[in-house]
Amino acid sequence: MSSRTKIKAGPKTVVCQEADLRGEITIGNGRTVLHPRCRVVAEAGPIVFGANNIIEENAVIFNKNTAPLVIGDDNVFEVGCYVEGLGIGNRNVIEARGRLIGTTTVGNNCVIGSACTTDLHEKMEDNTVIYGSDCSRRTQEERNAAQASLHLRHLEYLREMLPKYNHLKQLPTDV
Amino acid sequence: MQPATPFVYYHCACPDFFQTSGRSVDASGSRDAANDSSSASDRQPYVPFGTSIATDTDFSLFPLSRLYFCEDCHQIRCPSCVQDEVISYYCPNCLFEVPTASVKSEKNRCARNCFQCPICQNTLSVVANPDIPPKEPGSPEDETKPSVNPYHLFCGVCRWDSQEVGITFEKPTSLAMQLQKSEDASPDIKEFDHLKEHFEKFLRYNTPQSLPTSFLSLSSSGSFSKMGYNTSMQNRKGNVARMDDVGEYKASEHIPHGDMDVMDNLINIQEDTTVSNLEQRFNQVYDQPYDTNQLKPQRIHLRIKRSKRCRTCRHILIKPEQKAQATRFKIKLVAMNYIPNITMQMLPRKTLPLRQNVPTQLILKFTNPLYEEISVTLATPQQHQTKGDQVDAPEDLRKPWGRVTLLSPHFTVGAYNETIEYDDELLYGKPSALSTPAAATWENGVYEKRNNYTSILIEVVPDYEGDFKFPLLVNYSYKSDEDQLDTGGYEDEDGDDDDDEGGQKRSQTLERQPEERTKTYSFWCVVGLGEVVQ
Ligand SMILES: [Zn+2]
Ligand SMILES: [Zn+2]
Ligand SMILES: [Zn+2]
Ligand SMILES: [Zn+2]
């Protein structure tokens, strides 16, 4: 397994030592942050991240298809979430213990709420929010500039704080 | 049907019911210790809830955690034997205590900053739009509306945003005030005010002098009922005739009848996300819109803190701290601190479910919450005790629950003291280490006796399939060395909110008559052992 592990990451990527990365993983040229003890497993096919993603503790991103799992920019994968599926757009939030399963594809600016699950083969349109104990769906407003800047500040904070308390993984930076 | 889970329910003697119906069931009244010890084992005890124990429907059976204990009546009190009284009103979100007088005018909802999401009913938070333009540049709305309010409400769960329905705020405080205008403008509020105005004269005339203008200002339900009595008396005295003097009322608000439009809309609907669900509609009772865009944030409902009184002697059993932030109780007379707690345990290498006609031994564990050693006597309505001369009851007298043998109907349970919990952990870290009691104690039917608990063995032989449960009369007595301890109820040290509530009342047990040294009490309970299979 480890022999197959091949990671390419942009120079500004912060990957904590305890992050568990397996398989062929590409992280785009941006300020992506991988917390300790998150797991990114490209089992059957590669996983490709865009820029400025946050992957928190105990989040699992798993690709069991041979086709690459492409994940866009500015996504947040919160604590303990589980993600597979066929592709994720930009600016999405998978909240704590949210589950994105099966062959689901996700558009842009979607939210999978805490402990919510997508359908097995769902196509989440842009701005869809899944929330509550019944996994209800609704459409939220387009993200505004304030929220976008909040995400960037979040990233900046993590990039500053995480290295103070964690060892970082040295990755080949040849993207 | 789910398979029944084992349980121990305690019986409340419910004086309001059992005594008025002419059945004397004072099994739990305090008797003389001398009389009692001899009689309890001899006679066939009377089962207050009959022989077929309908635990699902019997209103006098409760788990221990739901019961109170009246120190003056020396009896268990169940939720229907206590009277609830409102202590204070508060908002569950901002924990503001609302003065009783303004509860009504604020319509039982928080009049500060607390709103619930119209979509998912979670609490909304106030969000500021930062200095940067709130919409992406190029959005035409910015130019047309330059004076956009900087604050709005936001739901962190479903991401609902009050800007969607055009609600924004100038400042982040007293939001309810800012929304007041739109609320006052709603037809139902207008109509209600109009109605109130119309009846005001009549109401004022009919109100007895003693009656305060706000019924809600009464905290004691006792005075409340007196009041109700007063009013009816007054009416009977001749004010009834004036009832008709109220002039005819004409509705001031006329809302166009839009049912056809609503129906047309619903017929043409493509997506169900734009239709409100029942819960959303019921949270906006006055117009109950079908369209989610018409749902508005609602102020959060106030909650109350209640005190509870014994209905028989009117002493207070539960009295919470008035402050909304405080979780402490000034008075907390819960049964758990007064009567032995009975739990069940399986013997090692035995499993449920029970088998029909197969004798099975089980452990009943009695835990003593009192600071005195108690001596316990058990009885079941149909028993064959090891020491008694009673033989097995004849076939026809056999109760539907089968046979229950108490191998140890008399035993003592040690006194409680605070250090016990530490001892347990330190000395006997592993529970398995102590589950091998001496063989001698086994013979007496006592499985284990330690600290403030005693585990005894019972043997059951179910006669029928189905749920197996049997009644158990628990009689316990103890010597109290503290003759005099006034009430224990009202010690009123403020501050110190985080001390142990449970242990707090344990020391102040009973004892108002110093002359009587040995206290004897008893109560019934029902022990359920789950399903019986063949
Ligand atoms: Zn009762
Ligand atoms: Zn409030
Ligand atoms: Zn909401
Ligand atoms: Zn009482």
Side-chain angles (χ1 to χ4, degrees):
Chain A
M1 193 74 193
S2 59
S3 61
R4 275 181 49 220
T5 297
K6 199 174 118 202
I7 299 162
K8 287 199 280 179
K12 286 179 176 170
T13 310
V14 171
V15 184
C16 293
Q17 183 64 54
E18 283 112 342
D20 183 6
L21 309 180
R22 295 183 202 179
E24 198 182 329
I25 298 165
T26 309
I27 300 173
N29 203 351
R31 290 172 286 185
T32 293
V33 169
L34 278 79
H35 284 248
R37 303 208 67 84
C38 69
R39 293 182 64 207
V40 181
V41 183
E43 194 183 58
I47 297 180
V48 181
F49 287 96
N52 300 345
N53 292 294
I54 300 174
I55 301 152
E56 295 186 352
E57 288 89 343
N58 290 326
V60 178
I61 299 172
F62 203 93
N63 187 10
K64 52 168 115 168
N65 305 303
T66 44
L69 169 58
V70 179
I71 296 170
D73 302 338
D74 302 315
N75 298 295
V76 181
F77 300 89
E78 290 187 3
V79 173
C81 68
Y82 178 82
V83 173
E84 44 190 46
L86 293 182
I88 297 172
N90 306 319
R91 306 185 303 281
N92 300 292
V93 181
I94 324 292
E95 289 185 357
R97 296 194 76 84
R99 285 164 57 83
L100 194 164
I101 53 170
T103 59
T104 299
T105 57
V106 181
N108 299 316
N109 198 31
C110 293
V111 177
I112 298 169
S114 299
C116 289
T117 307
T118 63
D119 289 341
L120 263 180
H121 315 289
E122 191 169 347
K123 188 174 176 301
M124 284 180 75
E125 302 287 343
D126 289 0
N127 303 322
T128 306
V129 180
I130 304 182
Y131 67 94
S133 49
D134 301 329
C135 295
S136 318
R137 310 289 199 272
R138 71 182 294 271
T139 307
Q140 69 168 333
E141 294 286 284
E142 199 62 60
R143 177 182 281 215
N144 59 36
Q147 283 160 304
S149 82
L150 192 68
H151 179 73
L152 288 181
R153 274 185 288 152
H154 186 184
L155 264 175
E156 271 317 304
Y157 178 80
L158 289 176
R159 286 171 50 77
E160 194 183 315
M161 298 307 289
L162 277 181
K164 289 186 184 170
Y165 302 99
N166 292 280
H167 296 292
L168 299 187
K169 218 173 228 177
Q170 296 306 316
L171 296 171
T173 56
D174 53 355
V175 176
Chain B
M1 270 278 289
Q2 278 187 347
T5 43
F7 60 85
V8 179
Y9 286 160
Y10 291 68
H11 172 72
C12 169
C14 291
D16 283 358
F17 172 75
F18 289 106
Q19 276 164 21
T20 50
S21 63
R23 298 156 67 185
S24 101
V25 280
D26 204 15
S28 36
S30 51
R31 292 188 220 95
D32 276 358
N35 293 344
D36 204 64
S37 53
S38 59
S39 64
S41 51
D42 294 348
R43 71 199 164 92
Q44 193 80 329
Y46 168 69
V47 193
F49 28 76
T51 47
S52 60
I53 317 152
T55 37
D56 320 337
T57 52
D58 195 311
F59 59 85
S60 63
L61 293 172
F62 290 92
L64 182 59
S65 56
R66 293 202 52 203
L67 295 170
Y68 313 100
F69 190 87
C70 179
E71 287 188 334
D72 292 271
C73 306
H74 298 296
Q75 282 199 331
I76 295 173
R77 290 284 175 252
C78 73
S80 40
C81 291
V82 296
Q83 252 173 353
D84 290 54
E85 289 163 16
V86 177
I87 294 275
S88 65
Y89 295 82
Y90 67 97
C91 167
N93 187 46
C94 63
L95 294 180
F96 182 86
E97 246 175 275
V98 183
T100 325
S102 49
V103 168
K104 202 158 76 170
S105 63
E106 288 170 8
K107 302 190 176 70
N108 289 314
R109 287 168 185 267
C110 178
R112 275 140 297 274
N113 287 324
C114 309
F115 292 88
Q116 67 175 43
C117 175
I119 305 295
C120 70
Q121 285 82 42
N122 277 287
T123 308
L124 297 173
S125 44
V126 192
V127 176
N129 298 344
D131 307 325
I132 8 169
K135 290 267 163 71
E136 273 119 341
S139 152
E141 282 170 38
D142 273 354
E143 279 73 56
T144 50
K145 276 194 283 174
S147 64
V148 72
N149 286 328
Y151 298 98
H152 64 271
L153 293 167
F154 178 74
C155 174
V157 175
C158 71
R159 315 277 161 150
W160 179 87
D161 185 329
S162 71
Q163 287 167 323
E164 288 176 30
V165 293
I167 295 177
T168 51
F169 300 92
E170 289 164 30
K171 47 186 171 53
T173 51
S174 54
L175 303 182
M177 287 276 280
Q178 298 179 60
L179 269 188
Q180 187 86 42
K181 269 171 271 144
S182 70
E183 198 179 275
D184 284 349
S186 71
D188 66 318
I189 301 285
K190 273 194 195 159
E191 186 66 36
F192 183 76
D193 287 342
H194 196 230
L195 261 173
K196 222 163 61 178
E197 217 172 275
H198 183 76
F199 286 110
E200 198 107 84
K201 253 181 283 150
F202 169 74
L203 279 174
R204 212 175 296 137
Y205 191 80
N206 261 10
T207 308
Q209 289 298 308
S210 59
L211 192 78
T213 41
S214 164
F215 262 65
L216 288 165
S217 62
L218 306 168
S219 62
S220 137
S221 64
S223 48
F224 193 93
S225 69
K226 256 182 264 154
M227 223 59 84
Y229 183 66
N230 269 350
T231 8
S232 62
M233 284 292 282
Q234 283 254 352
N235 282 342
R236 226 175 292 148
K237 277 187 197 141
N239 286 1
V240 185
R242 292 207 177 82
M243 203 87 96
D244 298 334
D245 295 351
V246 192
E248 202 184 324
Y249 177 76
K250 283 215 175 63
S252 67
E253 297 298 315
H254 296 279
I255 304 161
H257 184 54
D259 285 2
M260 291 309 282
D261 294 342
V262 169
M263 205 174 72
D264 282 345
N265 280 339
L266 288 177
I267 287 170
N268 295 324
I269 223 122
Q270 300 290 325
E271 264 185 286
D272 66 344
T273 49
T274 58
V275 186
S276 60
N277 63 29
L278 269 185
E279 195 180 0
Q280 292 165 345
R281 260 173 261 165
F282 288 163
N283 271 299
Q284 190 166 325
V285 268
Y286 68 88
D287 58 349
Q288 304 182 15
Y290 283 91
D291 189 349
T292 47
N293 287 329
Q294 286 171 32
L295 294 167
K296 298 271 150 59
Q298 303 289 322
R299 292 186 284 136
I300 284 180
H301 271 290
L302 299 180
R303 307 290 200 269
I304 53 171
K305 282 194 170 192
R306 288 176 294 181
S307 71
K308 289 170 194 289
R309 265 178 208 281
C310 172
R311 280 164 69 108
T312 314
C313 69
R314 310 212 22 86
H315 278 89
I316 292 180
L317 305 180
I318 298 286
K319 185 176 188 150
E321 196 95 47
Q322 183 159 6
K323 275 181 288 176
Q325 287 98 327
T327 51
R328 215 175 150 266
F329 287 83
K330 283 179 180 162
I331 301 171
K332 196 171 95 177
L333 308 182
V334 289
M336 212 175 279
N337 291 346
Y338 290 94
I339 63 175
N341 186 4
I342 305 167
T343 48
M344 282 173 285
Q345 228 176 304
M346 291 303 294
L347 278 167
R349 296 179 300 282
K350 293 264 172 72
T351 49
L352 288 175
L354 301 172
R355 293 284 194 67
Q356 193 183 340
N357 294 323
V358 175
T360 307
Q361 290 199 339
L362 295 152
I363 301 167
L364 281 187
K365 179 174 164 184
F366 288 73
T367 310
N368 180 8
L370 301 172
Y371 280 107
E372 292 85 22
E373 186 188 65
I374 58 172
S375 89
V376 180
T377 306
L378 301 178
T380 53
Q382 168 263 319
Q383 55 190 338
H384 38 194
Q385 289 170 0
T386 41
K387 54 140 247 178
D389 11 328
Q390 253 179 319
V391 211
D392 203 351
E395 276 297 311
D396 53 312
L397 278 182
R398 207 178 255 180
K399 301 295 189 289
W401 50 77
R403 271 171 299 150
V404 179
T405 314
L406 304 162
L407 300 179
S408 169
H410 302 286
F411 55 93
T412 59
V413 187
Y416 173 85
N417 74 63
E418 282 89 355
T419 57
I420 280 174
E421 277 132 28
Y422 304 107
D423 289 353
D424 238 24
E425 282 166 29
L426 291 174
L427 301 175
Y428 313 91
K430 279 191 220 154
S432 58
L434 52 96
S435 59
T436 46
T441 52
W442 270 77
E443 281 161 23
N444 302 328
V446 174
Y447 178 73
E448 189 184 10
K449 180 170 170 16
R450 299 191 48 225
N451 297 340
N452 66 329
Y453 63 84
T454 302
S455 300
I456 57 144
L457 289 167
I458 59 166
E459 187 175 90
V460 296
V461 187
D463 281 349
Y464 303 97
E465 273 181 85
D467 293 350
F468 183 82
K469 49 201 168 190
F470 63 92
L472 186 70
L473 177 62
V474 181
N475 198 295
Y476 66 101
S477 59
Y478 59 92
K479 285 199 181 63
S480 72
D481 21 331
E482 288 175 283
D483 301 21
Q484 207 272 117
L485 216 158
D486 205 1
T487 147
Y490 292 82
E491 33 90 66
D492 207 346
E493 348 116 27
D494 269 358
D496 202 359
D497 275 354
D498 38 353
D499 64 349
D500 174 26
E501 313 273 345
Q504 187 185 335
K505 283 282 135 21
R506 280 186 171 118
S507 57
Q508 287 127 11
T509 41
L510 319 181
E511 290 5 289
R512 305 204 92 183
Q513 309 103 304
E515 68 276 4
E516 207 176 15
R517 286 304 187 89
T518 305
K519 299 283 177 189
T520 303
Y521 306 111
S522 61
F523 58 87
W524 279 97
C525 54
V526 174
V527 181
L529 296 176
E531 263 210 307
V532 177
V533 296
Q534 249 182 329

